[in-house]
């Protein structure tokens, strides 16, 4: 009985310390003439505020030039975003006919104030303190054609 009570106490403490974090998952896919794209978003939060988004994007094409162009564009975009706003880590690789991009945006390190100031449309997705909300992230990803659950 003592072990069960200890376990319940430890689990309760863990829940209190982590702020009842939740995970929302969204995904989208698109078929184009020369390529197909599928994207999965894993949105982690503390309460109603997004703390981290992990993105896995897979682009498939028979044309290596298409994949190489995507690789350069994605790497340039993520490098630029990380330089200007911080909080990005990413890896983009091509393996055969498939490009895989793994991106993490750590919102504890990301300068969201600066980003919102430069991208006025983001105001629709943040609260009054310029914090990205879970509802805002869900709305943002749904606006790009993603489904969330």
């Amino acid at each position: 009985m003592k072990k069960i009570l200890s376990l319940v106490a430890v689990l309760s403490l863990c829940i209190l310390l982590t702020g009842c974090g939740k995970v929302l998952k969204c995904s989208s896919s698109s078929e184009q003439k020369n390529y197909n794209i599928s994207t999965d978003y894993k949105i982690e939060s503390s309460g109603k505020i997004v703390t981290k988004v992990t993105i896995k994007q897979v682009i498939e094409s028979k044309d290596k030039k298409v994949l190489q162009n995507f690789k350069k564009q994605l790497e340039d975009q993520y490098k630029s975003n990380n330089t200007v706003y911080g909080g990005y880590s990413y890896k983009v690789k091509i393996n055969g006919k498939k490009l895989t991009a793994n991106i993490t945006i750590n919102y504890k390190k990301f300068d969201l104030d600066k980003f919102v100031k430069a991208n006025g449309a983001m105001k629709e997705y943040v609260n009054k303190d310029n914090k990205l909300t879970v509802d805002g992230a869900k709305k943002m990803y749904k606006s790009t054609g993603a489904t969330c659950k």
Side-chain angles (χ1 to χ4, degrees):
M1 184 67 171
K2 278 186 175 184
K3 285 184 180 183
I4 293 173
L5 288 174
S6 295
L7 181 60
V8 169
V10 168
L11 289 174
S12 297
L13 184 59
C14 287
I15 291 170
L16 286 172
L17 292 175
T18 59
C20 300
K22 295 181 181 180
V23 175
L24 172 68
K25 293 183 179 182
C26 300
S27 62
S28 66
S29 62
S30 174
E31 292 184 21
Q32 303 298 318
K33 184 177 180 183
N34 293 332
Y35 59 90
N36 297 328
I37 300 177
S38 63
T39 308
D40 294 316
Y41 306 93
K42 179 179 157 190
I43 302 144
E44 297 178 40
S45 64
S46 178
K48 295 181 179 183
I49 305 300
V50 173
T51 55
K52 181 169 44 170
V53 175
T54 306
I55 305 162
K56 180 178 182 181
Q57 190 166 49
V58 177
I59 303 169
E60 296 181 82
S61 178
K62 294 176 184 176
D63 188 341
K64 277 198 167 199
K65 282 187 176 184
V66 168
L67 297 177
Q68 289 167 343
N69 286 337
F70 269 112
K71 185 175 192 288
K72 179 168 178 18
Q73 288 175 353
L74 292 172
E75 288 176 332
D76 290 350
Q77 176 188 348
Y78 300 137
K79 181 179 181 181
S80 174
N81 285 353
N82 192 50
T83 300
V84 176
Y85 307 112
Y88 271 78
S89 60
Y90 58 92
K91 185 174 185 177
V92 182
K93 64 181 181 175
I94 296 174
N95 188 1
K97 298 176 183 177
K98 185 186 293 187
L99 176 148
T100 303
N102 291 296
I103 308 99
T104 300
I105 306 168
N106 182 341
Y107 281 93
K108 293 178 182 177
K109 297 179 180 179
F110 185 78
D111 190 342
L112 197 53
D113 289 330
K114 190 174 185 180
F115 188 75
V116 170
K117 195 173 191 178
N119 300 278
M122 280 298 296
K123 285 193 178 286
E124 187 176 342
Y125 310 114
V126 298
N127 65 13
K128 62 181 171 52
D129 298 322
N130 275 351
K131 301 289 184 195
L132 181 61
T133 65
V134 173
D135 287 342
K138 189 176 183 178
K139 185 176 180 180
M140 179 173 58
Y141 291 126
K142 280 186 167 187
S143 76
T144 67
T147 55
C148 300
K149 48 183 167 173

